Amino acid sequence: MRLPNPLTPARLVRRYKRFLADARLEATGEVVTAHIANSGSMMGLKEPDSRIWLSRSDNPKRKLAFSWELCELPEGGWSGVSTANPNRIVEEALRAGRVAEAADYREIRREVAYGKASRVDFLATREDGARLFIEVKNVHLRRVGDLAEFPDSVTARGAKHLEELGDQVEQGDRALMLYVIQRTDCARFALAADLDPDYVKGFRRARARGVEAVAYKCDITPPDAVDGAAITLSQPAPIEEP
C-alpha cells in the first residue's frame, strides 16, 4: 500500500484530543496541526520531539491540510500510525493471494453487514459458497523486547466483534481475527491483558468457539525510497496465547 508522496519530515510537539497533533516542520520550523486517523492511546508513539512524517492535501475543503502517516522509532525502524491503513494493507494482500488463511477464497467484499448492527471488515467467499469472515485490527503497541501487543486501550467494540465472529462460526462459517503489526521492530504478538482484561476474556471465548487468529508483520518502505513510502503485509508472527 503506497502512502502519499512526498511526505514531509517534522518533530512532534504534542498529540491531543485523540485526533490532533502539533508538529514542527523540519524545513521551516513552522508549527502545524495535523490530523491523526487513530483514536487509541498511541502509547510509545507520541513522545515529544519524535521524528514523524506528514502528508499534505491540497483539498480546500479539508480543515487540516496535514495528516500524520509515519513515525521513526527511537531504536531504528518505522511505525505507521493510521488505523485506517490496516484494512487497505490487508485488502491488497487478500487480492494478491498473500494471506495464507484465505488463499482459496476468490470473492472479497468489504464492510458487509452482519451480527447486531455490525459490519465485518472483509467477507471472503469460496467458489463452493463457503464463507470466511475477517476482522482486522491495527497493532502498534510495543513495551517489551520484540513483542507487539493489542489493544493499547480498552476496546468494547473489539470485544463485541469477537462475540459476533463466534456466532458466525456456530452458524457454519469460518471467522478470522487478523492482527496487523504496523511497525518493523516486532516479531511476536500477544494480548495486553493488563490494559483490557475483558478483551482477553472475549478472545479466549471466541477461540474456544472456533474463531481463528493470526498476526502478520509489515514491511515499511521509508519516505526516501525511489517510489516513496509504502506499507506491505509481510510474514505471520507467532501469537502467544493468553
Side-chain angles (χ1 to χ4, degrees):
M1 184 206 75
R2 293 285 172 192
L3 293 175
N5 188 28
L7 295 181
T8 301
R11 293 286 176 172
L12 181 64
V13 177
R14 61 169 182 151
R15 186 255 183 143
Y16 58 104
K17 294 183 179 179
R18 293 202 301 173
F19 300 108
L20 299 177
D22 290 340
R24 188 179 306 276
L25 303 183
E26 287 190 352
T28 64
E30 177 188 3
V31 174
V32 299
T33 299
H35 174 257
I36 316 168
N38 192 320
S39 62
S41 74
M42 293 185 66
M43 186 186 305
L45 296 177
K46 57 184 180 181
E47 302 305 316
D49 203 42
S50 296
R51 195 174 196 228
I52 65 176
W53 292 77
L54 311 175
S55 61
R56 181 166 187 166
S57 172
D58 294 326
N59 185 348
K61 295 183 180 180
R62 281 192 48 156
K63 292 183 178 180
L64 298 173
F66 288 97
S67 295
W68 183 359
E69 303 286 353
L70 291 176
C71 182
E72 289 192 35
L73 301 173
E75 297 177 5
W78 299 84
S79 177
V81 299
S82 171
T83 58
N85 285 342
N87 280 25
R88 296 167 59 197
I89 295 166
V90 169
E91 181 175 18
E92 181 182 84
L94 284 170
R95 297 194 184 283
R98 292 189 284 105
V99 178
E101 294 76 12
D104 57 344
Y105 289 76
R106 295 293 175 257
E107 181 185 349
I108 308 295
R109 297 165 58 199
R110 291 192 61 170
E111 297 292 326
V112 177
Y114 85 118
K116 300 175 182 177
S118 293
R119 289 184 178 274
V120 72
D121 290 321
F122 296 98
L123 176 59
T125 306
R126 216 164 50 194
E127 290 182 359
D128 63 2
R131 302 191 303 176
L132 170 61
F133 287 73
I134 305 172
E135 190 68 38
V136 177
K137 295 300 179 188
N138 174 71
V139 181
H140 55 213
L141 172 62
R142 169 186 172 269
R143 295 185 288 181
V144 179
D146 62 357
L147 182 66
E149 296 180 273
F150 178 89
D152 67 356
S153 58
V154 173
T155 172
R157 183 168 175 264
K160 177 174 178 280
H161 289 157
L162 289 169
E163 190 69 22
E164 291 178 334
L165 290 179
D167 293 342
Q168 293 303 137
V169 172
E170 292 185 352
Q171 293 174 32
D173 297 308
R174 282 181 65 204
L176 175 67
M177 279 298 315
L178 198 161
Y179 298 94
V180 177
I181 303 172
Q182 206 184 164
R183 56 187 298 157
T184 61
D185 59 351
C186 294
R188 301 173 295 133
F189 173 80
L191 297 181
D194 59 322
L195 299 181
D196 191 348
D198 287 339
Y199 184 85
V200 175
K201 292 176 184 176
F203 180 87
R204 288 175 178 151
R205 283 196 302 271
R207 295 285 280 149
R209 297 173 75 189
V211 175
E212 302 164 45
V214 65
Y216 271 83
K217 297 181 287 185
C218 285
D219 291 330
I220 300 181
T221 305
D224 59 359
V226 173
D227 295 326
I231 306 177
T232 307
L233 204 70
S234 177
Q235 300 296 320
I239 294 178
E240 299 184 359
E241 296 281 352

